[in-house]
PDB file of all heavy atoms in Angstrom:
ATOM      1  N   VAL A   1      20.123 -25.909 -15.516  1.00 94.00           N
ATOM      2  CA  VAL A   1      18.851 -25.208 -15.705  1.00 94.00           C
ATOM      3  C   VAL A   1      17.969 -25.413 -14.479  1.00 94.00           C
ATOM      4  O   VAL A   1      17.757 -26.541 -14.027  1.00 94.00           O
ATOM      5  CB  VAL A   1      18.129 -25.710 -16.973  1.00 94.00           C
ATOM      6  CG1 VAL A   1      16.811 -24.974 -17.160  1.00 94.00           C
ATOM      7  CG2 VAL A   1      19.019 -25.520 -18.200  1.00 94.00           C
ATOM      8  N   LYS A   2      17.476 -24.305 -13.942  1.00 91.00           N
ATOM      9  CA  LYS A   2      16.641 -24.349 -12.747  1.00 91.00           C
ATOM     10  C   LYS A   2      15.174 -24.163 -13.121  1.00 91.00           C
ATOM     11  O   LYS A   2      14.862 -23.520 -14.131  1.00 91.00           O
ATOM     12  CB  LYS A   2      17.059 -23.247 -11.771  1.00 91.00           C
ATOM     13  CG  LYS A   2      18.509 -23.344 -11.310  1.00 91.00           C
ATOM     14  CD  LYS A   2      18.872 -22.161 -10.422  1.00 91.00           C
ATOM     15  CE  LYS A   2      20.336 -22.221 -10.006  1.00 91.00           C
ATOM     16  NZ  LYS A   2      20.718 -21.038  -9.174  1.00 91.00           N
ATOM     17  N   PRO A   3      14.249 -24.700 -12.326  1.00 92.00           N
ATOM     18  CA  PRO A   3      12.824 -24.469 -12.585  1.00 92.00           C
ATOM     19  C   PRO A   3      12.498 -22.984 -12.520  1.00 92.00           C
ATOM     20  O   PRO A   3      13.044 -22.254 -11.684  1.00 92.00           O
ATOM     21  CB  PRO A   3      12.128 -25.251 -11.464  1.00 92.00           C
ATOM     22  CG  PRO A   3      13.147 -26.219 -10.962  1.00 92.00           C
ATOM     23  CD  PRO A   3      14.480 -25.579 -11.162  1.00 92.00           C
ATOM     24  N   GLU A   4      11.625 -22.546 -13.388  1.00 91.00           N
ATOM     25  CA  GLU A   4      11.251 -21.135 -13.427  1.00 91.00           C
ATOM     26  C   GLU A   4      10.304 -20.817 -12.275  1.00 91.00           C
ATOM     27  O   GLU A   4       9.235 -21.419 -12.157  1.00 91.00           O
ATOM     28  CB  GLU A   4      10.573 -20.818 -14.758  1.00 91.00           C
ATOM     29  CG  GLU A   4      10.276 -19.340 -14.979  1.00 91.00           C
ATOM     30  CD  GLU A   4      11.539 -18.518 -15.167  1.00 91.00           C
ATOM     31  OE1 GLU A   4      12.552 -19.068 -15.651  1.00 91.00           O
ATOM     32  OE2 GLU A   4      11.506 -17.331 -14.823  1.00 91.00           O
ATOM     33  N   PRO A   5      10.682 -19.894 -11.383  1.00 89.00           N
ATOM     34  CA  PRO A   5       9.778 -19.549 -10.272  1.00 89.00           C
ATOM     35  C   PRO A   5       8.563 -18.789 -10.774  1.00 89.00           C
ATOM     36  O   PRO A   5       8.618 -18.092 -11.789  1.00 89.00           O
ATOM     37  CB  PRO A   5      10.658 -18.661  -9.380  1.00 89.00           C
ATOM     38  CG  PRO A   5      11.654 -18.059 -10.313  1.00 89.00           C
ATOM     39  CD  PRO A   5      11.928 -19.099 -11.364  1.00 89.00           C
ATOM     40  N   GLN A   6       7.485 -18.941 -10.066  1.00 85.00           N
ATOM     41  CA  GLN A   6       6.259 -18.235 -10.442  1.00 85.00           C
ATOM     42  C   GLN A   6       6.385 -16.764 -10.082  1.00 85.00           C
ATOM     43  O   GLN A   6       6.740 -16.418  -8.954  1.00 85.00           O
ATOM     44  CB  GLN A   6       5.048 -18.842  -9.738  1.00 85.00           C
ATOM     45  CG  GLN A   6       3.729 -18.215 -10.157  1.00 85.00           C
ATOM     46  CD  GLN A   6       2.535 -18.878  -9.484  1.00 85.00           C
ATOM     47  OE1 GLN A   6       2.707 -19.803  -8.689  1.00 85.00           O
ATOM     48  NE2 GLN A   6       1.331 -18.425  -9.797  1.00 85.00           N
ATOM     49  N   ALA A   7       6.103 -15.905 -11.056  1.00 80.00           N
ATOM     50  CA  ALA A   7       6.174 -14.462 -10.815  1.00 80.00           C
ATOM     51  C   ALA A   7       4.974 -14.018  -9.987  1.00 80.00           C
ATOM     52  O   ALA A   7       3.873 -14.560 -10.127  1.00 80.00           O
ATOM     53  CB  ALA A   7       6.193 -13.710 -12.142  1.00 80.00           C
ATOM     54  N   PRO A   8       5.179 -13.036  -9.125  1.00 81.00           N
ATOM     55  CA  PRO A   8       4.058 -12.545  -8.313  1.00 81.00           C
ATOM     56  C   PRO A   8       3.063 -11.776  -9.170  1.00 81.00           C
ATOM     57  O   PRO A   8       3.414 -11.278 -10.243  1.00 81.00           O
ATOM     58  CB  PRO A   8       4.740 -11.620  -7.303  1.00 81.00           C
ATOM     59  CG  PRO A   8       5.961 -11.134  -8.017  1.00 81.00           C
ATOM     60  CD  PRO A   8       6.415 -12.293  -8.854  1.00 81.00           C
ATOM     61  N   PRO A   9       1.804 -11.664  -8.739  1.00 81.00           N
ATOM     62  CA  PRO A   9       0.845 -10.843  -9.486  1.00 81.00           C
ATOM     63  C   PRO A   9       1.254  -9.380  -9.464  1.00 81.00           C
ATOM     64  O   PRO A   9       1.880  -8.912  -8.509  1.00 81.00           O
ATOM     65  CB  PRO A   9      -0.470 -11.064  -8.732  1.00 81.00           C
ATOM     66  CG  PRO A   9      -0.054 -11.470  -7.345  1.00 81.00           C
ATOM     67  CD  PRO A   9       1.216 -12.247  -7.518  1.00 81.00           C
ATOM     68  N   ILE A  10       0.912  -8.664 -10.522  1.00 75.00           N
ATOM     69  CA  ILE A  10       1.296  -7.264 -10.644  1.00 75.00           C
ATOM     70  C   ILE A  10       0.195  -6.383 -10.056  1.00 75.00           C
ATOM     71  O   ILE A  10      -0.920  -6.337 -10.580  1.00 75.00           O
ATOM     72  CB  ILE A  10       1.528  -6.877 -12.111  1.00 75.00           C
ATOM     73  CG1 ILE A  10       2.616  -7.758 -12.720  1.00 75.00           C
ATOM     74  CG2 ILE A  10       1.887  -5.408 -12.236  1.00 75.00           C
ATOM     75  CD1 ILE A  10       2.834  -7.509 -14.194  1.00 75.00           C
ATOM     76  N   PRO A  11       0.465  -5.674  -8.948  1.00 81.00           N
ATOM     77  CA  PRO A  11      -0.558  -4.772  -8.413  1.00 81.00           C
ATOM     78  C   PRO A  11      -0.684  -3.522  -9.276  1.00 81.00           C
ATOM     79  O   PRO A  11       0.299  -3.034  -9.835  1.00 81.00           O
ATOM     80  CB  PRO A  11      -0.017  -4.412  -7.021  1.00 81.00           C
ATOM     81  CG  PRO A  11       1.458  -4.587  -7.144  1.00 81.00           C
ATOM     82  CD  PRO A  11       1.692  -5.676  -8.140  1.00 81.00           C
ATOM     83  N   GLN A  12      -1.907  -3.034  -9.411  1.00 80.00           N
ATOM     84  CA  GLN A  12      -2.165  -1.818 -10.176  1.00 80.00           C
ATOM     85  C   GLN A  12      -2.664  -0.730  -9.254  1.00 80.00           C
ATOM     86  O   GLN A  12      -3.419  -0.992  -8.310  1.00 80.00           O
ATOM     87  CB  GLN A  12      -3.225  -2.071 -11.258  1.00 80.00           C
ATOM     88  CG  GLN A  12      -2.722  -2.742 -12.519  1.00 80.00           C
ATOM     89  CD  GLN A  12      -3.802  -2.753 -13.583  1.00 80.00           C
ATOM     90  OE1 GLN A  12      -4.892  -3.270 -13.378  1.00 80.00           O
ATOM     91  NE2 GLN A  12      -3.514  -2.178 -14.733  1.00 80.00           N
ATOM     92  N   ASN A  13      -2.242   0.502  -9.522  1.00 80.00           N
ATOM     93  CA  ASN A  13      -2.802   1.630  -8.784  1.00 80.00           C
ATOM     94  C   ASN A  13      -4.275   1.769  -9.128  1.00 80.00           C
ATOM     95  O   ASN A  13      -4.689   1.535 -10.270  1.00 80.00           O
ATOM     96  CB  ASN A  13      -2.060   2.913  -9.139  1.00 80.00           C
ATOM     97  CG  ASN A  13      -0.644   2.922  -8.591  1.00 80.00           C
ATOM     98  OD1 ASN A  13      -0.344   2.222  -7.622  1.00 80.00           O
ATOM     99  ND2 ASN A  13       0.224   3.697  -9.215  1.00 80.00           N
ATOM    100  N   TYR A  14      -5.059   2.190  -8.149  1.00 80.00           N
ATOM    101  CA  TYR A  14      -6.509   2.278  -8.347  1.00 80.00           C
ATOM    102  C   TYR A  14      -6.867   3.215  -9.495  1.00 80.00           C
ATOM    103  O   TYR A  14      -7.691   2.885 -10.352  1.00 80.00           O
ATOM    104  CB  TYR A  14      -7.181   2.745  -7.051  1.00 80.00           C
ATOM    105  CG  TYR A  14      -8.668   2.962  -7.203  1.00 80.00           C
ATOM    106  CD1 TYR A  14      -9.540   1.896  -7.222  1.00 80.00           C
ATOM    107  CD2 TYR A  14      -9.189   4.255  -7.342  1.00 80.00           C
ATOM    108  CE1 TYR A  14     -10.907   2.091  -7.377  1.00 80.00           C
ATOM    109  CE2 TYR A  14     -10.542   4.466  -7.492  1.00 80.00           C
ATOM    110  CZ  TYR A  14     -11.400   3.372  -7.509  1.00 80.00           C
ATOM    111  OH  TYR A  14     -12.751   3.573  -7.685  1.00 80.00           O
ATOM    112  N   ASP A  15      -6.238   4.394  -9.527  1.00 80.00           N
ATOM    113  CA  ASP A  15      -6.560   5.363 -10.578  1.00 80.00           C
ATOM    114  C   ASP A  15      -6.253   4.810 -11.965  1.00 80.00           C
ATOM    115  O   ASP A  15      -7.012   5.010 -12.916  1.00 80.00           O
ATOM    116  CB  ASP A  15      -5.784   6.658 -10.357  1.00 80.00           C
ATOM    117  CG  ASP A  15      -6.235   7.399  -9.110  1.00 80.00           C
ATOM    118  OD1 ASP A  15      -7.353   7.110  -8.637  1.00 80.00           O
ATOM    119  OD2 ASP A  15      -5.475   8.248  -8.610  1.00 80.00           O
ATOM    120  N   THR A  16      -5.132   4.089 -12.082  1.00 80.00           N
ATOM    121  CA  THR A  16      -4.755   3.508 -13.374  1.00 80.00           C
ATOM    122  C   THR A  16      -5.749   2.452 -13.804  1.00 80.00           C
ATOM    123  O   THR A  16      -6.184   2.420 -14.959  1.00 80.00           O
ATOM    124  CB  THR A  16      -3.345   2.892 -13.275  1.00 80.00           C
ATOM    125  OG1 THR A  16      -2.410   3.887 -12.860  1.00 80.00           O
ATOM    126  CG2 THR A  16      -2.913   2.316 -14.609  1.00 80.00           C
ATOM    127  N   ALA A  17      -6.118   1.577 -12.876  1.00 82.00           N
ATOM    128  CA  ALA A  17      -7.069   0.514 -13.203  1.00 82.00           C
ATOM    129  C   ALA A  17      -8.452   1.079 -13.517  1.00 82.00           C
ATOM    130  O   ALA A  17      -9.155   0.584 -14.401  1.00 82.00           O
ATOM    131  CB  ALA A  17      -7.156  -0.479 -12.043  1.00 82.00           C
ATOM    132  N   LEU A  18      -8.832   2.146 -12.812  1.00 78.00           N
ATOM    133  CA  LEU A  18     -10.138   2.754 -13.054  1.00 78.00           C
ATOM    134  C   LEU A  18     -10.202   3.373 -14.450  1.00 78.00           C
ATOM    135  O   LEU A  18     -11.190   3.217 -15.172  1.00 78.00           O
ATOM    136  CB  LEU A  18     -10.426   3.806 -11.989  1.00 78.00           C
ATOM    137  CG  LEU A  18     -11.824   4.436 -11.998  1.00 78.00           C
ATOM    138  CD1 LEU A  18     -12.888   3.369 -11.738  1.00 78.00           C
ATOM    139  CD2 LEU A  18     -11.928   5.549 -10.970  1.00 78.00           C
ATOM    140  N   ARG A  19      -9.122   4.061 -14.856  1.00 81.00           N
ATOM    141  CA  ARG A  19      -9.095   4.646 -16.197  1.00 81.00           C
ATOM    142  C   ARG A  19      -9.108   3.576 -17.284  1.00 81.00           C
ATOM    143  O   ARG A  19      -9.692   3.780 -18.352  1.00 81.00           O
ATOM    144  CB  ARG A  19      -7.852   5.518 -16.353  1.00 81.00           C
ATOM    145  CG  ARG A  19      -7.900   6.848 -15.611  1.00 81.00           C
ATOM    146  CD  ARG A  19      -6.817   7.792 -16.114  1.00 81.00           C
ATOM    147  NE  ARG A  19      -5.476   7.237 -15.935  1.00 81.00           N
ATOM    148  CZ  ARG A  19      -4.747   7.437 -14.863  1.00 81.00           C
ATOM    149  NH1 ARG A  19      -5.213   8.171 -13.864  1.00 81.00           N
ATOM    150  NH2 ARG A  19      -3.534   6.905 -14.766  1.00 81.00           N
ATOM    151  N   ALA A  20      -8.495   2.438 -16.975  1.00 83.00           N
ATOM    152  CA  ALA A  20      -8.452   1.352 -17.959  1.00 83.00           C
ATOM    153  C   ALA A  20      -9.759   0.574 -18.009  1.00 83.00           C
ATOM    154  O   ALA A  20      -9.957  -0.244 -18.904  1.00 83.00           O
ATOM    155  CB  ALA A  20      -7.301   0.406 -17.643  1.00 83.00           C
ATOM    156  N   GLY A  21     -10.637   0.824 -17.059  1.00 83.00           N
ATOM    157  CA  GLY A  21     -11.927   0.138 -17.045  1.00 83.00           C
ATOM    158  C   GLY A  21     -11.839  -1.316 -16.628  1.00 83.00           C
ATOM    159  O   GLY A  21     -12.678  -2.128 -17.001  1.00 83.00           O
ATOM    160  N   THR A  22     -10.823  -1.670 -15.817  1.00 83.00           N
ATOM    161  CA  THR A  22     -10.639  -3.068 -15.419  1.00 83.00           C
ATOM    162  C   THR A  22     -11.175  -3.364 -14.022  1.00 83.00           C
ATOM    163  O   THR A  22     -11.129  -4.514 -13.585  1.00 83.00           O
ATOM    164  CB  THR A  22      -9.143  -3.433 -15.458  1.00 83.00           C
ATOM    165  OG1 THR A  22      -8.415  -2.548 -14.597  1.00 83.00           O
ATOM    166  CG2 THR A  22      -8.595  -3.309 -16.876  1.00 83.00           C
ATOM    167  N   ILE A  23     -11.657  -2.344 -13.305  1.00 82.00           N
ATOM    168  CA  ILE A  23     -12.222  -2.568 -11.982  1.00 82.00           C
ATOM    169  C   ILE A  23     -13.490  -1.742 -11.817  1.00 82.00           C
ATOM    170  O   ILE A  23     -13.748  -0.809 -12.574  1.00 82.00           O
ATOM    171  CB  ILE A  23     -11.222  -2.188 -10.864  1.00 82.00           C
ATOM    172  CG1 ILE A  23     -10.855  -0.690 -10.961  1.00 82.00           C
ATOM    173  CG2 ILE A  23      -9.998  -3.059 -10.889  1.00 82.00           C
ATOM    174  CD1 ILE A  23     -10.068  -0.197  -9.773  1.00 82.00           C
ATOM    175  N   ARG A  24     -14.278  -2.092 -10.816  1.00 82.00           N
ATOM    176  CA  ARG A  24     -15.420  -1.277 -10.407  1.00 82.00           C
ATOM    177  C   ARG A  24     -15.541  -1.364  -8.895  1.00 82.00           C
ATOM    178  O   ARG A  24     -15.093  -2.330  -8.273  1.00 82.00           O
ATOM    179  CB  ARG A  24     -16.705  -1.762 -11.069  1.00 82.00           C
ATOM    180  CG  ARG A  24     -17.104  -3.178 -10.706  1.00 82.00           C
ATOM    181  CD  ARG A  24     -18.303  -3.621 -11.519  1.00 82.00           C
ATOM    182  NE  ARG A  24     -18.713  -4.987 -11.165  1.00 82.00           N
ATOM    183  CZ  ARG A  24     -19.664  -5.667 -11.800  1.00 82.00           C
ATOM    184  NH1 ARG A  24     -20.290  -5.099 -12.827  1.00 82.00           N
ATOM    185  NH2 ARG A  24     -19.979  -6.883 -11.425  1.00 82.00           N
ATOM    186  N   ARG A  25     -16.124  -0.334  -8.301  1.00 75.00           N
ATOM    187  CA  ARG A  25     -16.245  -0.284  -6.854  1.00 75.00           C
ATOM    188  C   ARG A  25     -17.595   0.287  -6.475  1.00 75.00           C
ATOM    189  O   ARG A  25     -18.046   1.283  -7.065  1.00 75.00           O
ATOM    190  CB  ARG A  25     -15.130   0.570  -6.254  1.00 75.00           C
ATOM    191  CG  ARG A  25     -15.099   0.540  -4.726  1.00 75.00           C
ATOM    192  CD  ARG A  25     -13.979   1.404  -4.167  1.00 75.00           C
ATOM    193  NE  ARG A  25     -14.316   2.830  -4.297  1.00 75.00           N
ATOM    194  CZ  ARG A  25     -13.588   3.809  -3.779  1.00 75.00           C
ATOM    195  NH1 ARG A  25     -12.479   3.516  -3.127  1.00 75.00           N
ATOM    196  NH2 ARG A  25     -13.937   5.071  -3.930  1.00 75.00           N
TER     197      ARG A  25
END
């Protein structure tokens, strides 16, 4: 059994994040 590597952060497209209301600019 090997140590679990840390997964990278998931980038979101700007339009998708804007529709979801998770970002502001």
Side-chain angles (χ1 to χ4, degrees):
V1 180
K2 301 176 182 178
E4 186 69 28
Q6 184 178 1
I10 302 176
Q12 280 188 303
N13 290 337
Y14 176 78
D15 293 341
T16 303
L18 187 62
R19 286 195 300 269
T22 58
I23 61 171
R24 62 186 181 186
R25 187 180 74 173

